[in-house]
Amino acid sequence: MEAQKYAFKMKSSTTTTLKDDSLCLSKNLVPYTLQFLLPIALLPIVLLCIYFYPLFLTKSQTNELHYGTISSPPPPPYPVNNKIKAENNSCDYFNGKWIHDKSGPLYNGTTCGTIKEGQNCMTNGRPDSNYLYYRWKPNECNLPRFEPNTFLQLSKNKHIAFIGDSLARNQFESLLCMLSTVSKPKPVHHKGSHWWHFASHNATISDYWSPFLVQGDERSKSGPSFNTMHLDRVNERWLKDMDGMDLIFLSFGNWFNVPSIYYENGLVLGCLNCSSFGLNYTDIGFYVPLRKALRTSLNAIVERKRAKGKEISVIVRTFSPTHFDGDWDKAGTCSKTEPYGNGEKKVGEMESEIRRIQIEEVESAKAKANEFGGIRFEVLDVTELALLRPDGHPGAYMNPFPFANGVSEHVQNDCVHWCLPGPIDTWNEIFLEMMKWDWKGQPRSEE
């Protein structure tokens, strides 16, 4: 808040010449009287200025006044249309539109051998290819085409770990395909995760399956029909390897919107949609558990950094909307073949709230990390740009040639994950732009 400037102008008064000698004494006393009374008259104004002093400070000065070194002020709310910029970068990459691009992707379903079958849409017989010829155009700048060599140079001697759900794996495989156009990686056996090593740059990229980030068990056909989560315990699958990670990419959210039981301190905290299983627990929804799971994970990273002292970057991907025409478990489909235009589709209430929680928790963790430095927290905000691409999912082509024997009554569709190649490649283009900046806000060297 800019300080207001007040100008006080004093008016000079004209006195009439007094001929009465009896007034001379009074005339001589006036200056002395004013000298005594003026400070008393100005005292209320001085007190008011002192009282309202904080109002005239800048925002950063006010924070320092109230929080000392700005240790941990409460995080602000983040509406869906808020501009979240990559840290230390002048471009807002997350608000824009999809435009035609005839150059197409860097790879395809035959040149990249690490694509999961369910996302290899063209190889599975998808007849249209128009979805491959769009690129994301931010409103304020241009998003450069992905440069595999640049990414590998910035990853030299480092370990980048994708941690989370199947969308983390989806983005991980997209990145592998893009990097494989210039350097072929080799798989490395590692229990509980997938590691690929680029010997040309001594760079490792890994994927850890941890859909809740915290400890828990997913529902299954052979076991309970609900998830169980321990919201105060980080999943040891990735926690045990954290010391060897240089960049952690957290990707989660979709698994929270299914029936679950939540634990904290070994006791049941509540549940989501558990009454149908005959369980008498309080239904607390999933927003609070999702926030707690993310906070537990980010706090664990901060505490490990505090103990070990190693610099580390952390990126949290915001929620990626699904595009089912109908319910996902009731033969919902996603048959659109073109992106939505700006304003044609709005982010839903649930997606908006998950995104808000994720951004708030990152900001809170960032404030804690500022106490000792060495940790860089950022948000890869894909919610809006993913929302506008209903055409980029495998749909029925999650399976090879689903209509080879005609159109059956019910065909399973995948409207959650993304075709490879496809719109998810854009997430890695933005990821690369984030990697180009170091902790001090300076462009990183590729040496």
Side-chain angles (χ1 to χ4, degrees):
M1 173 179 178
E2 294 187 358
Q4 299 180 2
K5 296 181 180 179
Y6 297 92
F8 296 93
K9 294 183 179 180
M10 301 191 64
K11 297 181 180 180
S12 61
S13 59
T14 305
T15 56
T16 339
T17 306
L18 301 177
K19 294 181 180 182
D20 194 345
D21 290 339
S22 63
L23 294 178
C24 289
L25 181 59
S26 301
K27 184 176 178 182
N28 290 333
L29 288 175
V30 165
Y32 300 100
T33 305
L34 288 175
Q35 185 177 4
F36 176 75
L37 293 178
L38 188 58
I40 298 176
L42 292 176
L43 182 59
I45 298 175
V46 173
L47 292 174
L48 284 172
C49 289
I50 294 173
Y51 180 80
F52 288 107
Y53 170 69
L55 297 180
F56 307 140
L57 294 175
T58 65
K59 184 175 180 181
S60 60
Q61 289 172 320
T62 305
N63 282 340
E64 290 175 7
L65 183 67
H66 289 289
Y67 300 111
T69 57
I70 318 180
S71 57
S72 184
Y78 287 85
V80 170
N81 60 357
N82 190 60
K83 294 182 178 181
I84 306 297
K85 296 184 178 181
E87 185 77 8
N88 302 317
N89 199 317
S90 60
C91 179
D92 169 22
Y93 291 114
F94 310 121
N95 289 275
K97 61 183 178 181
W98 291 96
I99 62 175
H100 275 285
D101 180 15
K102 63 181 181 180
S103 59
L106 291 175
Y107 64 95
N108 58 49
T110 56
T111 61
C112 182
T114 56
I115 300 176
K116 186 179 178 181
E117 182 184 67
Q119 281 118 47
N120 202 340
C121 303
M122 296 302 290
T123 302
N124 286 347
R126 179 167 173 169
D128 64 304
S129 60
N130 187 52
Y131 72 97
L132 297 172
Y133 296 94
Y134 284 92
R135 67 178 176 89
W136 179 247
K137 174 64 176 69
N139 292 331
E140 300 177 355
C141 57
N142 287 312
L143 176 62
R145 189 171 171 83
F146 189 85
E147 301 164 348
N149 282 312
T150 299
F151 191 100
L152 287 170
Q153 287 291 339
L154 295 173
S155 306
K156 191 173 183 179
N157 300 321
K158 289 182 170 55
H159 177 190
I160 297 174
F162 286 81
I163 300 168
D165 54 21
S166 53
L167 279 171
R169 177 70 182 272
N170 200 180
Q171 184 178 356
F172 164 78
E173 291 179 343
S174 161
L175 182 60
L176 275 183
C177 287
M178 297 169 90
L179 297 178
S180 295
T181 59
V182 298
S183 179
K184 300 300 179 183
K186 291 184 177 181
V188 178
H189 177 72
H190 190 273
K191 186 178 180 180
S193 62
H194 301 88
W195 285 35
W196 290 83
H197 184 68
F198 291 84
S200 59
H201 296 79
N202 191 31
T204 299
I205 300 177
S206 63
D207 169 58
Y208 288 77
W209 172 252
S210 182
F212 316 130
L213 302 184
V214 293
Q215 197 70 37
D217 295 301
E218 305 100 59
R219 66 176 186 172
S220 65
K221 293 180 180 179
S222 59
S225 299
F226 49 83
N227 301 324
T228 58
M229 303 182 206
H230 295 270
L231 301 175
D232 54 350
R233 291 165 46 192
V234 178
N235 191 340
E236 284 292 330
R237 181 175 291 174
W238 63 271
L239 182 65
K240 63 181 176 59
D241 293 335
M242 189 196 301
D243 291 344
M245 299 173 183
D246 299 286
L247 191 153
I248 295 176
F249 198 107
L250 300 179
S251 170
F252 79 118
N254 294 79
W255 275 82
F256 279 77
N257 194 22
V258 296
S260 302
I261 298 178
Y262 309 113
Y263 292 84
E264 199 169 48
N265 298 318
L267 302 175
V268 174
L269 178 68
C271 71
L272 171 69
N273 299 334
C274 63
S275 59
S276 58
F277 304 108
L279 301 173
N280 190 24
Y281 300 133
T282 302
D283 195 316
I284 61 173
F286 69 88
Y287 292 140
V288 170
L290 183 143
R291 184 187 290 276
K292 284 178 175 289
L294 179 56
R295 182 176 298 176
T296 295
S297 302
L298 297 180
N299 284 345
I301 296 171
V302 171
E303 291 307 314
R304 185 62 62 91
K305 169 62 182 69
R306 192 195 302 269
K308 299 293 183 178
K310 178 184 177 182
E311 287 189 339
I312 191 169
S313 291
V314 183
I315 297 177
V316 175
R317 173 192 60 79
T318 63
F319 191 74
S320 174
T322 62
H323 293 94
F324 288 99
D325 297 326
D327 295 331
W328 67 272
D329 56 349
K330 296 180 181 178
T333 64
C334 44
S335 55
K336 283 184 67 69
T337 57
E338 292 183 354
Y340 288 118
N342 280 8
E344 188 178 352
K345 184 74 171 178
K346 299 295 183 183
V347 176
E349 181 179 351
M350 182 193 74
E351 293 87 350
S352 175
E353 181 64 12
I354 294 175
R355 173 187 179 273
R356 184 180 69 85
I357 290 170
Q358 292 170 323
I359 295 173
E360 285 182 356
E361 289 305 312
V362 170
E363 290 299 310
S364 179
K366 188 183 298 185
K368 294 175 185 176
N370 283 343
E371 296 176 12
F372 48 87
I375 306 184
R376 178 183 173 194
F377 285 102
E378 293 195 36
V379 172
L380 181 62
D381 187 5
V382 304
T383 303
E384 179 73 18
L385 63 90
L387 174 75
L388 300 179
R389 291 304 304 271
D391 58 323
H393 301 289
Y397 296 94
M398 62 180 290
N399 294 309
F401 302 96
F403 306 112
N405 298 318
V407 180
S408 59
E409 184 178 355
H410 297 294
V411 176
Q412 187 179 6
N413 276 248
D414 180 357
C415 306
V416 177
H417 304 97
W418 302 90
C419 291
L420 295 180
I424 199 170
D425 295 334
T426 297
W427 302 7
N428 286 321
E429 290 180 334
I430 300 174
F431 181 19
L432 172 55
E433 295 309 303
M434 289 179 163
M435 289 183 64
K436 290 179 180 178
W437 296 80
D438 66 12
W439 286 271
K440 298 177 181 179
Q442 301 298 320
R444 290 179 57 193
S445 170
E446 297 178 28
E447 298 297 328

